Structure formats: C-alpha cells, structure tokens
Amino acid sequence: MKKIVLLAALAIFGVTASNAQAKKTAAKAATKAATAKVETPKVEGAGMLFESETIDYGTLPHNADGKREFVFVNNGTKPLIITNATGSCGCTVPSFPKEPIAPGAKAIIGVKYATDRVGAFTKTVTVTSNAEGQASKVLTIKGTILPDETPKDTAPKG
C-alpha cells in the first residue's frame, strides 16, 4: 500500500513539475518575442522612416517650452540628404541635419512652436529630401496653449 501511495505522489509531482517547466518556457518565449527588435523595412536608395509623424504637445501653459523632435532613421541603402524643412507658418520653425544621414543612422528634425499664441493649434512641417518615393514628407504638430491665469483680487474687502 505504501508503494502505491509513494508511486502516486511521485506521478503527481512529476506532472506538476513538467507543467511548471512548460509554463516557464512559454513565458520566456513570449518575453523574447515581445522584446525582439522590430526589423525596419529597407528601401533601395535613400529612405526616411519616422518613429512618429505627429507630435501632440497636449495642453501647455502660455509661453511654455515649444521645442520638440521628430526622430527618424534612414532605412535605405544610400545616404539621405535633407534639402529643406519648412513650417506651415512663422510660428513653427523647424531645424534639420545639413549633412547626409548614412544608411541605418538615426537623425532628428527639430521643431519649435511659438507658445506665446493662445488656443488650439495644428501646424505642419514639410521635409524635402532625396528619399525614394517621397521627395517631400509632411509632419504634424498639434496642441493647445492655455491663456495666463487672471490674477485674483487680493485686496481686502471692507
């Protein structure tokens, strides 16, 4: 009888241990898949692939820091040359790298919005380059600038 109980206990323990091991293996595979580097699609010639083509400033106070950055990679096989970046109005001032961006290299298009203008805004930055199939790329910034708070009357009432 003792042998049967011992054998049953060993069988249950063995099944439990193998299930735990299978769960650990599945969890490792899921983690590995989630952290695997996403392959950047390659293009023949120069390429320009942005992490995001829209920057949402959210809601900012009047005269807040209006500088933001569009990050991109040259996903092509040849150097990327940006020839111009233009804001849709004078309140949006872009900056861009003047030197060629090597294949696989990351770079930044900077943009500064004039946050002295109160209210909602949506503006664009047009980037001109030698990227294959997209000689110009339109990027968007948006957000809302709050007005200054009106000073509260601090004089004593009397």
Side-chain angles (χ1 to χ4, degrees), residues 37 40 42 47 72-78 101-107:
K37 188 176 179 181
T40 304
K42 292 284 184 190
F72 67 96
V73 66
N74 177 355
N75 63 331
T77 58
K78 295 183 180 174
I101 297 111
K106 281 190 174 185

Side-chain angles (χ1 to χ4, degrees), residues 8-150:
L10 286 175
I12 291 172
F13 177 75
V15 169
T16 304
S18 71
N19 281 347
Q21 184 63 34
K23 286 181 183 176
K24 284 182 183 178
T25 304
K28 281 184 182 179
T31 302
K32 194 173 187 179
T35 57
K37 188 176 179 181
V38 176
E39 284 296 315
T40 304
K42 292 284 184 190
V43 287
E44 196 60 40
M48 188 167 42
L49 182 64
F50 285 86
E51 287 181 3
S52 175
E53 295 178 14
T54 301
I55 293 178
D56 188 347
Y57 280 64
T59 302
L60 296 175
H62 188 233
N63 290 320
D65 181 16
K67 293 180 183 178
R68 300 292 186 275
E69 297 177 335
F70 288 98
V71 178
F72 67 96
V73 66
N74 177 355
N75 63 331
T77 58
K78 295 183 180 174
L80 173 67
I81 300 168
I82 297 175
T83 54
N84 198 13
T86 309
S88 57
C89 74
C91 59
T92 307
V93 181
S95 61
F96 61 95
K98 307 296 188 244
E99 66 282 345
I101 297 111
K106 281 190 174 185
I108 292 171
I109 302 288
V111 63
K112 183 173 186 331
Y113 179 73
T115 57
D116 59 338
R117 300 165 186 243
V118 175
F121 67 91
T122 300
K123 304 295 179 185
T124 60
V125 173
T126 303
V127 180
T128 308
S129 72
N130 68 331
E132 286 298 317
Q134 58 180 13
S136 66
K137 183 73 170 173
V138 178
L139 307 171
T140 304
I141 62 170
K142 62 183 180 176
T144 303
I145 308 300
L146 298 173
D148 287 333
E149 286 188 33
T150 54

